[in-house]
Amino acid sequence: MTLRFIASSKLPTPWATFTMHGFEETSSGQEHVALTLGSFADQQPVLARIHSECLTGDALFSLRCDCGFQLQEALKRIAAEKRGALFYLRQEGRGIGLLNKIRAYHLQDQGADTVEANERLGFAADQRDYSMLQPMLEHLGIQSVRLMTNNPRKLKALEGYGLTVADRVPLTTGRNPFNEDYLSTKASKLGHLMQATDFEPFTPHHPDARRQP
Ligand SMILES: Nc1nc2c(ncn2[C@@H]2O[C@H](COP(=O)(O)OP(=O)(O)OP(=O)(O)O)[C@@H](O)[C@H]2O)c(=O)[nH]1
Ligand SMILES: [Zn+2]
């Protein structure tokens, strides 16, 4: 995939001031962002997160998934190391888009799991394409990563582009009464490398939290 670097700026967050790099896919105009901290000149493996857009979890505080929790945790860990990179990829809903994700949530409200819902809508369980990462990593001078993920597909994708995944760092945060089934389905049907016992218990401030299955 060809991607154009557009501009960089500072991005202060509660944990650190990152540098934000904006990119545009030349064929589709799709926009992606990377947040970086520190220097990568020494070529040592970079603590990295590949985060797929989830408007509901990342911006609207949804408890249906673990995305918002993972996003915060990844930025906190990068800040603690004073070095790292977060790639915020605009592949909402595992690549089906926001409105189709809402359609999929509607089916899940009626009992389908996250994979069945995608399939009933005529989509694959996971439609994501990670090829924009190759030019983004090259632009930033990153060749080797310690990747914060539970998703083996991300490891395979990076290795397929000739990058080194020096380590996988589990990211098990945000399990709550509303996303238990979703996380179980990710482990059983999508191959995510995690178990319920890996997660810290967490009860959100929600009046129905204790009544959820
Ligand atoms: N189609 C669909 N997409 C979802 C659903 N829940 C979350 N997503 C999207 O899934 C993506 C996040 O994927 P996850 O499978 O949670 O996690 P991951 O990024 O593959 O793996 P980790 O690196 O371990 O977090 C985001 O793009 C979300 O918008 C859902 O029920 N249906
Ligand atoms: Zn999400």
Side-chain angles (χ1 to χ4, degrees), residues 49 53 70 108 114 128 149-151 154 182 186:
R49 166 78 183 153
E53 178 176 16
Q70 290 181 312
Q108 289 172 69
T114 184
R128 280 175 288 183
T149 186
N150 311 312
N151 184 345
K154 292 183 182 172
Y182 171 70
K186 287 212 295 189

Side-chain angles (χ1 to χ4, degrees), residues 51-58 62 64-68 70 92 101 105 182:
H51 194 86
S52 303
E53 178 176 16
C54 177
L55 180 88
T56 46
D58 299 340
S62 170
R64 289 190 84 125
C65 59
D66 52 345
C67 305
Q70 290 181 312
E92 171 64 71
K101 187 173 82 170
Y105 277 166
Y182 171 70

Side-chain angles (χ1 to χ4, degrees), residues 16-36:
T17 296
F18 292 85
T19 304
M20 177 166 63
H21 312 263
F23 300 86
E24 184 184 61
E25 289 182 17
T26 38
S27 55
S28 63
Q30 180 69 278
E31 299 167 337
H32 305 285
V33 155
L35 301 186
T36 63

Side-chain angles (χ1 to χ4, degrees), residues 27-175:
S27 55
S28 63
Q30 180 69 278
E31 299 167 337
H32 305 285
V33 155
L35 301 186
T36 63
L37 193 65
S39 164
F40 309 137
D42 61 8
Q43 299 294 314
Q44 290 304 302
V46 173
L47 182 64
R49 166 78 183 153
I50 299 168
H51 194 86
S52 303
E53 178 176 16
C54 177
L55 180 88
T56 46
D58 299 340
L60 300 178
F61 314 102
S62 170
L63 297 172
R64 289 190 84 125
C65 59
D66 52 345
C67 305
F69 303 94
Q70 290 181 312
L71 179 61
Q72 282 208 25
E73 180 66 20
L75 291 176
K76 278 185 205 169
R77 289 194 200 174
I78 292 168
E81 284 203 7
K82 299 187 170 56
R83 182 174 180 272
L86 180 133
F87 297 87
Y88 194 90
L89 306 180
R90 313 293 299 285
Q91 30 176 222
E92 171 64 71
R94 295 200 298 273
I96 68 175
L98 176 62
L99 301 184
N100 284 323
K101 187 173 82 170
I102 297 174
R103 289 190 174 103
Y105 277 166
H106 179 67
L107 294 175
Q108 289 172 69
D109 289 343
Q110 296 170 334
D113 70 31
T114 184
V115 169
E116 291 163 349
N118 260 36
E119 288 169 352
R120 276 189 215 167
L121 292 170
F123 299 112
D126 189 343
Q127 303 225 143
R128 280 175 288 183
D129 162 28
Y130 297 102
S131 55
M132 72 292 273
L133 280 169
Q134 192 173 29
M136 290 174 92
L137 286 155
E138 193 179 321
H139 177 88
L140 297 170
I142 299 174
Q143 278 157 12
S144 174
V145 293
R146 287 159 46 227
L147 194 64
M148 291 183 271
T149 186
N150 311 312
N151 184 345
R153 291 173 202 223
K154 292 183 182 172
L155 308 174
K156 277 197 203 118
L158 284 184
E159 284 164 353
Y161 300 133
L163 291 143
T164 305
V165 181
D167 199 7
R168 180 183 79 85
V169 182
L171 201 52
T172 48
T173 181
R175 187 180 189 101

